[in-house]
Amino acid sequence: MSTLILRTVAPFLTALMLLFSVFVLLRGHNEPGGGFIGGLIAASAFAVHGIANGVAAVRRALRFHPMAVSAFGLVLACLAGLLSVVFAVPFMTGLWIEPTVLGVTVPLSSVMLFDTGVYLVVVGAITSVALALEERDGD
Amino acid sequence: MAATQADLSAALVLTPVPPADWLVVLPVALPLLAGAVLTMLRRSVRLQAALAVPVLALVVLLDALLLAHVHGNGPVTMVMGRWLPPFGIAFTADLAGVLFALAAAVVALAGSVHALADIGDGERRYGFYPFLLLLVAGVTGAFLTGDVFNLYVWFEVLLISSFGLIVLGSEARQIDGAIRYAFLNLVATTLFLVATGYLYGLFGTLNMADIAVKAAERRADLPTMTLAALYLLAFGMKAAAFPVHFWLPASYHTPRVTVSALFAGLLTKVGVYALLRTLVMLFPVEREELSFVIALAGAATMLVGALGALGQSDIRRLLGYTVVSGIGVMLSGLALGSPGGVGGAIFYALHSMVVMTALYMAAGLAGRLSGTFDLNRLGGLHARSAFFSGLSLVLVFAVSGLPPFSGFWPKVMVTKAALDIGAWWLAAAILASGFLTTIAFARLFLLAWWRPAEGDLPAVEMPAGALLPLALLAVLALWFGLFPDALLSAVQSAAQGLADPSAYVRSVFPEVN
């Protein structure tokens, strides 16, 4: 599988796909997209990287075990829901803050935090499966 | 944000949430969060149990507080994301759900303590405690949710965690058991999903309170019998009812004993709970129509389970068949549908959660002390430890349904409910299966505990960590056998709450009277 062409293109492709996955994640609040689909795109990016440069390279690049990434996403999603306790509103209510950074209003919400959690859960879980399958393939 | 100026009271919950309402969500959110944190800390083997056991103790406490709250004030509802029901997903805790949730948390806590002595570092690194916490989150979510699709989601959560637990150790026969378990459960889950899609197509809502109201109004125009039959089959498979029970004895003896104990206590009972919820609360008229079928399945489940238990020589397989036999008693209660029948089914489910978990733990300990699970070779356990032998005898009596232990009362309730409507054959089946179970367990106790050991028992220490949860659960079985009044009245009001869901509906839709 790992031809010269793929190995040359893979880093650029992976970087682009990861960037695009973040774009899809953020776009998802009001338009088609979101954490789930963004996470799938990011997981495909890691899979491409793995096909080109081997599973070990992906694991090094990720730094954390994919399952830990996934678990961190679940923690974020839970915390996004539990923020509601402080404001005496029902679990998982969307809460907003709109700080102004350099003259631009940036709307941040617990919904986005939750979606980021979903993104990480999907990235971690699917990457973990993909890497396990690629490893088995190499044996 | 222009939207904030509009009148939102028609779409959103605008009153502040009373702190007590959080009791509905926290027993699910807490183990989920802790499970995620423990997955991140998978390499820190020491931290796993140190965090998981206190969290599960806290979940028991939260469930107990919720039970006190619901007992005093009726069902409590919290709607996710502030949207008004039926659009927001509702979590509604009623007495039946909370009783199941509390028993599940107690069983999980006992399992987590038992795991200290049974689950080694390798399996902890593999993720025993995270899976256990996610399993508890899934089971509790299923008991407390007030939305049919959300129930499906919690079924998935508990199913995925149970896949992780069943292959713990990765032995070949475990994979074999896991495949049987996974395949049958996936078929049941798919049926559940198909039925739920159909339900949504017919009613346009997934909120249980909403469905209960709409089903009562529009029953004549809709094919609700089909729905009820589909749910009966899907949840019957989950509960391991005859004739779709065979996955359970084929898989429950393969995982680690702690895992078997947790499965026996938690998984099939979620199926029974879902049957009670859908057939008693949502589709009572259809349940009445199906009652003969359910009663036949219940009687067959009891007898097949008890006969299977008699025929086994591996004590873990014997216990697997006993779990199946208990499901039959619960199905009989469901088939009768009267407050006594449904109350008896709930009581029996709670009893079975505690006692079957404890029995698997006892079997594990017996296996560890003698180095075998084979009844033909076991022996001398009474001479080894009279205390362990006494605990086991309590459990043997409780599972056989003999007084004064917890198995006696629900059997009395269901048998009486059966005789009240003249279903003598069902009562006879309950008594016959109880008799067969007594023989099976008398044989187990005589051979494994009383019979002198053939050779010397291996020099294994009696692990205190495994004995403690066993003793706790045995004390519970004895306590609810001696003082059943509180629980008897609780299960009867829980059964009435299912049969007449007006309080449940009011808690979700306060404006409807």
Side-chain angles (χ1 to χ4, degrees):
Chain A
M1 270 307 264
S2 80
T3 61
L4 180 63
I5 300 174
L6 184 63
R7 262 181 293 150
T8 316
V9 175
F12 300 102
L13 204 55
T14 305
L16 263 180
M17 284 169 87
L18 284 178
L19 205 60
F20 184 62
S21 76
V22 176
F23 166 71
V24 169
L25 160 70
L26 295 178
R27 184 178 189 262
H29 189 72
N30 290 322
E31 284 169 277
F36 189 84
I37 184 74
L40 285 181
I41 295 171
S44 330
F46 291 126
V48 167
H49 192 47
I51 291 168
N53 298 317
V55 172
V58 181
R59 289 202 194 277
R60 263 200 312 280
L62 270 175
R63 283 171 180 273
F64 300 103
H65 192 278
M67 282 318 290
V69 174
S70 183
F72 182 64
L74 192 53
V75 170
L76 282 189
C78 280
L79 291 180
L82 287 173
L83 272 182
S84 309
V85 179
V86 187
F87 297 91
V89 289
F91 192 58
M92 296 237 166
T93 300
L95 299 162
W96 293 80
I97 48 165
E98 304 191 1
T100 310
V101 183
L102 302 173
V104 182
T105 311
V106 186
L108 295 175
S109 67
S110 62
V111 183
M112 206 175 85
L113 188 62
F114 181 84
D115 222 14
T116 313
V118 173
Y119 174 88
L120 291 176
V121 168
V122 175
V123 174
I126 305 288
T127 307
S128 165
V129 173
L131 293 187
L133 288 176
E134 282 175 20
E135 246 164 2
R136 201 57 53 82
D137 223 23
D139 288 346
Chain B
M1 299 285 290
T4 44
Q5 268 90 53
D7 177 25
L8 294 174
S9 62
L12 296 182
V13 179
L14 293 179
T15 47
V17 175
D21 281 14
W22 283 99
L23 287 174
V24 184
V25 174
L26 285 180
V28 185
L30 190 68
L32 200 61
L33 188 64
V37 170
L38 283 184
T39 310
M40 288 165 68
L41 301 174
R42 228 155 32 120
R43 309 274 162 210
S44 325
V45 177
R46 284 170 187 283
L47 269 178
Q48 298 277 322
L51 202 65
V53 176
V55 164
L56 285 171
L58 194 56
V59 173
V60 171
L61 180 70
L62 286 170
D63 279 333
L65 288 174
L66 182 60
L67 179 63
H69 186 60
V70 169
H71 199 59
N73 307 320
V76 190
T77 298
M78 181 182 264
V79 197
M80 301 301 118
R82 218 179 195 181
W83 304 105
L84 282 177
F87 303 105
I89 292 171
F91 257 54
T92 305
D94 69 345
L95 205 49
V98 182
L99 281 172
F100 273 95
L102 178 60
V106 169
V107 162
L109 177 64
S112 73
V113 176
H114 190 261
L116 295 174
D118 185 50
I119 301 290
D121 278 357
E123 284 118 1
R124 288 188 205 187
R125 198 169 290 120
Y126 183 83
F128 171 79
Y129 281 107
F131 281 132
L132 171 60
L133 286 165
L134 293 176
L135 181 71
V136 171
V139 170
T140 314
F143 290 148
L144 297 183
T145 188
D147 183 282
V148 178
F149 187 76
N150 201 233
L151 179 66
Y152 167 80
V153 173
W154 292 120
F155 261 105
E156 288 285 301
V157 171
L158 74 89
L159 203 59
I160 290 169
S161 346
S162 69
F163 289 161
L165 285 173
I166 203 171
V167 294
L168 213 64
S170 303
E171 292 164 26
R173 60 186 194 92
Q174 288 185 324
I175 310 285
D176 181 57
I179 287 171
R180 292 159 199 244
Y181 169 79
F183 179 73
L184 254 289
N185 270 287
L186 284 177
V187 171
T189 307
T190 312
L191 267 176
F192 178 13
L193 187 61
V194 169
T196 304
Y198 197 29
L199 174 86
Y200 187 59
L202 293 179
F203 287 97
T205 179
L206 292 164
N207 184 291
M208 289 179 188
D210 208 19
I211 295 167
V213 173
K214 287 195 171 147
E217 290 164 359
R218 298 170 49 193
R219 176 161 282 122
D221 312 327
L222 296 175
T224 46
M225 269 310 285
T226 314
L227 276 179
L230 273 173
Y231 277 125
L232 176 61
L233 180 57
F235 294 139
M237 258 173 160
K238 293 271 180 195
F242 180 84
V244 279
H245 67 284
F246 45 85
W247 61 269
L248 194 150
S251 62
Y252 267 28
H253 62 288
T254 58
R256 291 280 178 271
V257 167
T258 310
V259 175
S260 301
L262 288 165
F263 280 16
L266 300 177
L267 296 188
T268 48
K269 277 60 178 189
V270 186
V272 170
Y273 166 81
L275 275 175
L276 291 170
R277 182 64 79 196
T278 47
L279 293 183
V280 179
M281 192 174 102
L282 304 184
F283 302 116
V285 177
E286 292 75 9
R287 187 206 54 76
E288 194 62 47
E289 290 291 321
L290 286 168
S291 63
F292 185 65
V293 177
I294 306 174
L296 272 185
T301 310
M302 278 186 281
L303 294 173
V304 165
L307 287 171
L310 263 180
Q312 293 302 321
S313 61
D314 183 316
I315 51 178
R316 291 168 304 172
R317 278 179 184 267
L318 188 158
L319 293 179
Y321 277 102
T322 316
V323 174
V324 173
S325 164
I327 297 297
V329 181
M330 298 170 223
L331 280 185
S332 313
L334 171 71
L336 295 164
S338 54
V342 175
I346 297 175
F347 197 149
Y348 200 90
L350 302 175
H351 145 81
S352 174
M353 285 163 109
V354 169
V355 169
M356 287 319 302
T357 304
L359 275 170
Y360 267 102
M361 288 176 181
L365 203 50
R368 185 201 286 237
L369 291 177
S370 7
T372 174
F373 288 103
D374 186 1
L375 258 189
N376 299 321
R377 290 165 53 209
L378 278 163
L381 287 169
H382 180 76
R384 177 72 174 74
S385 162
F387 179 60
F388 174 45
S389 168
L391 289 181
S392 311
L393 191 61
V394 168
L395 296 171
V396 164
F397 269 71
V399 76
S400 310
L402 298 173
F405 300 100
S406 61
F408 175 66
W409 302 106
K411 276 198 178 164
V412 168
M413 285 174 85
V414 179
T415 312
K416 183 170 177 304
L419 290 175
D420 280 349
I421 62 159
W424 56 268
W425 58 274
L426 192 57
I430 296 172
L431 296 179
S433 87
F435 183 62
L436 291 174
T437 313
T438 313
I439 297 177
F441 276 88
R443 172 169 162 263
L444 167 71
F445 196 78
L446 283 176
L447 293 182
W449 271 268
W450 271 4
R451 180 172 58 172
E454 278 166 14
D456 287 334
L457 289 181
V460 190
E461 267 193 50
M462 181 71 101
L467 212 50
L468 179 72
L470 186 61
L472 172 88
L473 295 177
V475 165
L476 276 181
L478 179 60
W479 180 265
F480 287 114
L482 289 175
F483 307 102
D485 292 348
L487 196 54
L488 277 175
S489 77
V491 295
Q492 264 156 0
S493 20
Q496 272 152 14
L498 285 176
D500 171 24
S502 57
Y504 188 97
V505 173
R506 252 200 319 282
S507 129
V508 182
F509 301 105
E511 69 280 9
V512 182
N513 288 308

mmCIF file with all atom_site columns, all heavy atoms in Angstrom, chain B residues 174-189:
data_model
loop_
_atom_site.group_PDB
_atom_site.id
_atom_site.type_symbol
_atom_site.label_atom_id
_atom_site.label_alt_id
_atom_site.label_comp_id
_atom_site.label_asym_id
_atom_site.label_entity_id
_atom_site.label_seq_id
_atom_site.pdbx_PDB_ins_code
_atom_site.Cartn_x
_atom_site.Cartn_y
_atom_site.Cartn_z
_atom_site.occupancy
_atom_site.B_iso_or_equiv
_atom_site.pdbx_formal_charge
_atom_site.auth_seq_id
_atom_site.auth_comp_id
_atom_site.auth_asym_id
_atom_site.auth_atom_id
_atom_site.pdbx_PDB_model_num
ATOM 1   N N   . GLN B 1 174 ? -14.138 -17.769 25.871 1.00 0.00 ? 174 GLN B N   1
ATOM 2   C CA  . GLN B 1 174 ? -14.831 -16.517 26.163 1.00 0.00 ? 174 GLN B CA  1
ATOM 3   C C   . GLN B 1 174 ? -15.310 -15.853 24.884 1.00 0.00 ? 174 GLN B C   1
ATOM 4   O O   . GLN B 1 174 ? -16.419 -15.332 24.813 1.00 0.00 ? 174 GLN B O   1
ATOM 5   C CB  . GLN B 1 174 ? -13.906 -15.563 26.900 1.00 0.00 ? 174 GLN B CB  1
ATOM 6   C CG  . GLN B 1 174 ? -13.644 -15.989 28.321 1.00 0.00 ? 174 GLN B CG  1
ATOM 7   C CD  . GLN B 1 174 ? -12.827 -14.956 29.054 1.00 0.00 ? 174 GLN B CD  1
ATOM 8   O OE1 . GLN B 1 174 ? -11.957 -14.331 28.481 1.00 0.00 ? 174 GLN B OE1 1
ATOM 9   N NE2 . GLN B 1 174 ? -13.112 -14.790 30.326 1.00 0.00 ? 174 GLN B NE2 1
ATOM 10  N N   . ILE B 1 175 ? -14.439 -15.896 23.857 1.00 0.00 ? 175 ILE B N   1
ATOM 11  C CA  . ILE B 1 175 ? -14.828 -15.311 22.575 1.00 0.00 ? 175 ILE B CA  1
ATOM 12  C C   . ILE B 1 175 ? -16.030 -16.072 22.040 1.00 0.00 ? 175 ILE B C   1
ATOM 13  O O   . ILE B 1 175 ? -16.992 -15.488 21.530 1.00 0.00 ? 175 ILE B O   1
ATOM 14  C CB  . ILE B 1 175 ? -13.660 -15.388 21.561 1.00 0.00 ? 175 ILE B CB  1
ATOM 15  C CG1 . ILE B 1 175 ? -12.374 -14.842 22.173 1.00 0.00 ? 175 ILE B CG1 1
ATOM 16  C CG2 . ILE B 1 175 ? -14.015 -14.682 20.277 1.00 0.00 ? 175 ILE B CG2 1
ATOM 17  C CD1 . ILE B 1 175 ? -12.288 -13.361 22.304 1.00 0.00 ? 175 ILE B CD1 1
ATOM 18  N N   . ASP B 1 176 ? -16.007 -17.400 22.200 1.00 0.00 ? 176 ASP B N   1
ATOM 19  C CA  . ASP B 1 176 ? -17.117 -18.242 21.752 1.00 0.00 ? 176 ASP B CA  1
ATOM 20  C C   . ASP B 1 176 ? -18.411 -17.823 22.452 1.00 0.00 ? 176 ASP B C   1
ATOM 21  O O   . ASP B 1 176 ? -19.434 -17.590 21.817 1.00 0.00 ? 176 ASP B O   1
ATOM 22  C CB  . ASP B 1 176 ? -16.778 -19.707 22.052 1.00 0.00 ? 176 ASP B CB  1
ATOM 23  C CG  . ASP B 1 176 ? -17.878 -20.642 21.588 1.00 0.00 ? 176 ASP B CG  1
ATOM 24  O OD1 . ASP B 1 176 ? -18.191 -20.596 20.390 1.00 0.00 ? 176 ASP B OD1 1
ATOM 25  O OD2 . ASP B 1 176 ? -18.421 -21.379 22.432 1.00 0.00 ? 176 ASP B OD2 1
ATOM 26  N N   . GLY B 1 177 ? -18.348 -17.680 23.792 1.00 0.00 ? 177 GLY B N   1
ATOM 27  C CA  . GLY B 1 177 ? -19.526 -17.259 24.542 1.00 0.00 ? 177 GLY B CA  1
ATOM 28  C C   . GLY B 1 177 ? -19.967 -15.865 24.145 1.00 0.00 ? 177 GLY B C   1
ATOM 29  O O   . GLY B 1 177 ? -21.160 -15.580 24.014 1.00 0.00 ? 177 GLY B O   1
ATOM 30  N N   . ALA B 1 178 ? -18.979 -14.988 23.916 1.00 0.00 ? 178 ALA B N   1
ATOM 31  C CA  . ALA B 1 178 ? -19.298 -13.598 23.591 1.00 0.00 ? 178 ALA B CA  1
ATOM 32  C C   . ALA B 1 178 ? -20.027 -13.506 22.260 1.00 0.00 ? 178 ALA B C   1
ATOM 33  O O   . ALA B 1 178 ? -20.943 -12.700 22.110 1.00 0.00 ? 178 ALA B O   1
ATOM 34  C CB  . ALA B 1 178 ? -18.017 -12.769 23.541 1.00 0.00 ? 178 ALA B CB  1
ATOM 35  N N   . ILE B 1 179 ? -19.637 -14.376 21.303 1.00 0.00 ? 179 ILE B N   1
ATOM 36  C CA  . ILE B 1 179 ? -20.281 -14.299 19.988 1.00 0.00 ? 179 ILE B CA  1
ATOM 37  C C   . ILE B 1 179 ? -21.743 -14.722 20.089 1.00 0.00 ? 179 ILE B C   1
ATOM 38  O O   . ILE B 1 179 ? -22.627 -14.068 19.544 1.00 0.00 ? 179 ILE B O   1
ATOM 39  C CB  . ILE B 1 179 ? -19.511 -15.160 18.964 1.00 0.00 ? 179 ILE B CB  1
ATOM 40  C CG1 . ILE B 1 179 ? -18.199 -14.452 18.632 1.00 0.00 ? 179 ILE B CG1 1
ATOM 41  C CG2 . ILE B 1 179 ? -20.316 -15.370 17.711 1.00 0.00 ? 179 ILE B CG2 1
ATOM 42  C CD1 . ILE B 1 179 ? -17.246 -15.260 17.829 1.00 0.00 ? 179 ILE B CD1 1
ATOM 43  N N   . ARG B 1 180 ? -22.009 -15.796 20.834 1.00 0.00 ? 180 ARG B N   1
ATOM 44  C CA  . ARG B 1 180 ? -23.411 -16.207 21.017 1.00 0.00 ? 180 ARG B CA  1
ATOM 45  C C   . ARG B 1 180 ? -24.198 -15.094 21.682 1.00 0.00 ? 180 ARG B C   1
ATOM 46  O O   . ARG B 1 180 ? -25.319 -14.754 21.293 1.00 0.00 ? 180 ARG B O   1
ATOM 47  C CB  . ARG B 1 180 ? -23.501 -17.451 21.892 1.00 0.00 ? 180 ARG B CB  1
ATOM 48  C CG  . ARG B 1 180 ? -22.935 -18.676 21.244 1.00 0.00 ? 180 ARG B CG  1
ATOM 49  C CD  . ARG B 1 180 ? -22.595 -19.686 22.331 1.00 0.00 ? 180 ARG B CD  1
ATOM 50  N NE  . ARG B 1 180 ? -21.656 -20.660 21.828 1.00 0.00 ? 180 ARG B NE  1
ATOM 51  C CZ  . ARG B 1 180 ? -21.949 -21.955 21.720 1.00 0.00 ? 180 ARG B CZ  1
ATOM 52  N NH1 . ARG B 1 180 ? -23.116 -22.400 22.088 1.00 0.00 ? 180 ARG B NH1 1
ATOM 53  N NH2 . ARG B 1 180 ? -21.050 -22.782 21.247 1.00 0.00 ? 180 ARG B NH2 1
ATOM 54  N N   . TYR B 1 181 ? -23.612 -14.536 22.738 1.00 0.00 ? 181 TYR B N   1
ATOM 55  C CA  . TYR B 1 181 ? -24.261 -13.482 23.499 1.00 0.00 ? 181 TYR B CA  1
ATOM 56  C C   . TYR B 1 181 ? -24.520 -12.270 22.606 1.00 0.00 ? 181 TYR B C   1
ATOM 57  O O   . TYR B 1 181 ? -25.629 -11.733 22.551 1.00 0.00 ? 181 TYR B O   1
ATOM 58  C CB  . TYR B 1 181 ? -23.355 -13.102 24.674 1.00 0.00 ? 181 TYR B CB  1
ATOM 59  C CG  . TYR B 1 181 ? -23.752 -11.865 25.407 1.00 0.00 ? 181 TYR B CG  1
ATOM 60  C CD1 . TYR B 1 181 ? -24.792 -11.903 26.335 1.00 0.00 ? 181 TYR B CD1 1
ATOM 61  C CD2 . TYR B 1 181 ? -23.115 -10.656 25.180 1.00 0.00 ? 181 TYR B CD2 1
ATOM 62  C CE1 . TYR B 1 181 ? -25.170 -10.758 26.995 1.00 0.00 ? 181 TYR B CE1 1
ATOM 63  C CE2 . TYR B 1 181 ? -23.491 -9.521  25.847 1.00 0.00 ? 181 TYR B CE2 1
ATOM 64  C CZ  . TYR B 1 181 ? -24.517 -9.572  26.751 1.00 0.00 ? 181 TYR B CZ  1
ATOM 65  O OH  . TYR B 1 181 ? -24.903 -8.444  27.402 1.00 0.00 ? 181 TYR B OH  1
ATOM 66  N N   . ALA B 1 182 ? -23.472 -11.850 21.866 1.00 0.00 ? 182 ALA B N   1
ATOM 67  C CA  . ALA B 1 182 ? -23.581 -10.636 21.063 1.00 0.00 ? 182 ALA B CA  1
ATOM 68  C C   . ALA B 1 182 ? -24.596 -10.816 19.949 1.00 0.00 ? 182 ALA B C   1
ATOM 69  O O   . ALA B 1 182 ? -25.429 -9.944  19.708 1.00 0.00 ? 182 ALA B O   1
ATOM 70  C CB  . ALA B 1 182 ? -22.215 -10.278 20.488 1.00 0.00 ? 182 ALA B CB  1
ATOM 71  N N   . PHE B 1 183 ? -24.568 -11.987 19.289 1.00 0.00 ? 183 PHE B N   1
ATOM 72  C CA  . PHE B 1 183 ? -25.436 -12.163 18.129 1.00 0.00 ? 183 PHE B CA  1
ATOM 73  C C   . PHE B 1 183 ? -26.907 -12.074 18.536 1.00 0.00 ? 183 PHE B C   1
ATOM 74  O O   . PHE B 1 183 ? -27.670 -11.288 17.993 1.00 0.00 ? 183 PHE B O   1
ATOM 75  C CB  . PHE B 1 183 ? -25.149 -13.506 17.444 1.00 0.00 ? 183 PHE B CB  1
ATOM 76  C CG  . PHE B 1 183 ? -26.035 -13.724 16.252 1.00 0.00 ? 183 PHE B CG  1
ATOM 77  C CD1 . PHE B 1 183 ? -25.805 -13.011 15.095 1.00 0.00 ? 183 PHE B CD1 1
ATOM 78  C CD2 . PHE B 1 183 ? -27.104 -14.599 16.317 1.00 0.00 ? 183 PHE B CD2 1
ATOM 79  C CE1 . PHE B 1 183 ? -26.640 -13.177 14.007 1.00 0.00 ? 183 PHE B CE1 1
ATOM 80  C CE2 . PHE B 1 183 ? -27.943 -14.766 15.234 1.00 0.00 ? 183 PHE B CE2 1
ATOM 81  C CZ  . PHE B 1 183 ? -27.702 -14.056 14.071 1.00 0.00 ? 183 PHE B CZ  1
ATOM 82  N N   . LEU B 1 184 ? -27.295 -12.854 19.536 1.00 0.00 ? 184 LEU B N   1
ATOM 83  C CA  . LEU B 1 184 ? -28.700 -12.867 19.950 1.00 0.00 ? 184 LEU B CA  1
ATOM 84  C C   . LEU B 1 184 ? -29.145 -11.502 20.459 1.00 0.00 ? 184 LEU B C   1
ATOM 85  O O   . LEU B 1 184 ? -30.252 -11.040 20.199 1.00 0.00 ? 184 LEU B O   1
ATOM 86  C CB  . LEU B 1 184 ? -28.906 -13.927 21.026 1.00 0.00 ? 184 LEU B CB  1
ATOM 87  C CG  . LEU B 1 184 ? -29.632 -15.182 20.587 1.00 0.00 ? 184 LEU B CG  1
ATOM 88  C CD1 . LEU B 1 184 ? -31.083 -14.882 20.347 1.00 0.00 ? 184 LEU B CD1 1
ATOM 89  C CD2 . LEU B 1 184 ? -29.018 -15.750 19.318 1.00 0.00 ? 184 LEU B CD2 1
ATOM 90  N N   . ASN B 1 185 ? -28.245 -10.827 21.184 1.00 0.00 ? 185 ASN B N   1
ATOM 91  C CA  . ASN B 1 185 ? -28.611 -9.526  21.721 1.00 0.00 ? 185 ASN B CA  1
ATOM 92  C C   . ASN B 1 185 ? -28.732 -8.484  20.630 1.00 0.00 ? 185 ASN B C   1
ATOM 93  O O   . ASN B 1 185 ? -29.574 -7.592  20.708 1.00 0.00 ? 185 ASN B O   1
ATOM 94  C CB  . ASN B 1 185 ? -27.598 -9.083  22.769 1.00 0.00 ? 185 ASN B CB  1
ATOM 95  C CG  . ASN B 1 185 ? -28.014 -9.568  24.139 1.00 0.00 ? 185 ASN B CG  1
ATOM 96  O OD1 . ASN B 1 185 ? -28.948 -9.046  24.717 1.00 0.00 ? 185 ASN B OD1 1
ATOM 97  N ND2 . ASN B 1 185 ? -27.349 -10.600 24.625 1.00 0.00 ? 185 ASN B ND2 1
ATOM 98  N N   . LEU B 1 186 ? -27.901 -8.608  19.584 1.00 0.00 ? 186 LEU B N   1
ATOM 99  C CA  . LEU B 1 186 ? -28.012 -7.642  18.489 1.00 0.00 ? 186 LEU B CA  1
ATOM 100 C C   . LEU B 1 186 ? -29.313 -7.850  17.726 1.00 0.00 ? 186 LEU B C   1
ATOM 101 O O   . LEU B 1 186 ? -29.957 -6.890  17.304 1.00 0.00 ? 186 LEU B O   1
ATOM 102 C CB  . LEU B 1 186 ? -26.802 -7.750  17.556 1.00 0.00 ? 186 LEU B CB  1
ATOM 103 C CG  . LEU B 1 186 ? -25.537 -7.121  18.134 1.00 0.00 ? 186 LEU B CG  1
ATOM 104 C CD1 . LEU B 1 186 ? -24.358 -7.325  17.198 1.00 0.00 ? 186 LEU B CD1 1
ATOM 105 C CD2 . LEU B 1 186 ? -25.741 -5.626  18.381 1.00 0.00 ? 186 LEU B CD2 1
ATOM 106 N N   . VAL B 1 187 ? -29.718 -9.121  17.566 1.00 0.00 ? 187 VAL B N   1
ATOM 107 C CA  . VAL B 1 187 ? -30.995 -9.390  16.910 1.00 0.00 ? 187 VAL B CA  1
ATOM 108 C C   . VAL B 1 187 ? -32.122 -8.737  17.715 1.00 0.00 ? 187 VAL B C   1
ATOM 109 O O   . VAL B 1 187 ? -32.992 -8.047  17.171 1.00 0.00 ? 187 VAL B O   1
ATOM 110 C CB  . VAL B 1 187 ? -31.239 -10.908 16.779 1.00 0.00 ? 187 VAL B CB  1
ATOM 111 C CG1 . VAL B 1 187 ? -32.645 -11.183 16.303 1.00 0.00 ? 187 VAL B CG1 1
ATOM 112 C CG2 . VAL B 1 187 ? -30.226 -11.517 15.832 1.00 0.00 ? 187 VAL B CG2 1
ATOM 113 N N   . ALA B 1 188 ? -32.083 -8.916  19.050 1.00 0.00 ? 188 ALA B N   1
ATOM 114 C CA  . ALA B 1 188 ? -33.120 -8.349  19.908 1.00 0.00 ? 188 ALA B CA  1
ATOM 115 C C   . ALA B 1 188 ? -33.107 -6.826  19.827 1.00 0.00 ? 188 ALA B C   1
ATOM 116 O O   . ALA B 1 188 ? -34.160 -6.182  19.751 1.00 0.00 ? 188 ALA B O   1
ATOM 117 C CB  . ALA B 1 188 ? -32.915 -8.798  21.353 1.00 0.00 ? 188 ALA B CB  1
ATOM 118 N N   . THR B 1 189 ? -31.905 -6.239  19.817 1.00 0.00 ? 189 THR B N   1
ATOM 119 C CA  . THR B 1 189 ? -31.802 -4.784  19.754 1.00 0.00 ? 189 THR B CA  1
ATOM 120 C C   . THR B 1 189 ? -32.386 -4.264  18.451 1.00 0.00 ? 189 THR B C   1
ATOM 121 O O   . THR B 1 189 ? -33.073 -3.245  18.416 1.00 0.00 ? 189 THR B O   1
ATOM 122 C CB  . THR B 1 189 ? -30.328 -4.366  19.871 1.00 0.00 ? 189 THR B CB  1
ATOM 123 O OG1 . THR B 1 189 ? -29.787 -4.980  21.030 1.00 0.00 ? 189 THR B OG1 1
ATOM 124 C CG2 . THR B 1 189 ? -30.193 -2.879  20.005 1.00 0.00 ? 189 THR B CG2 1
#
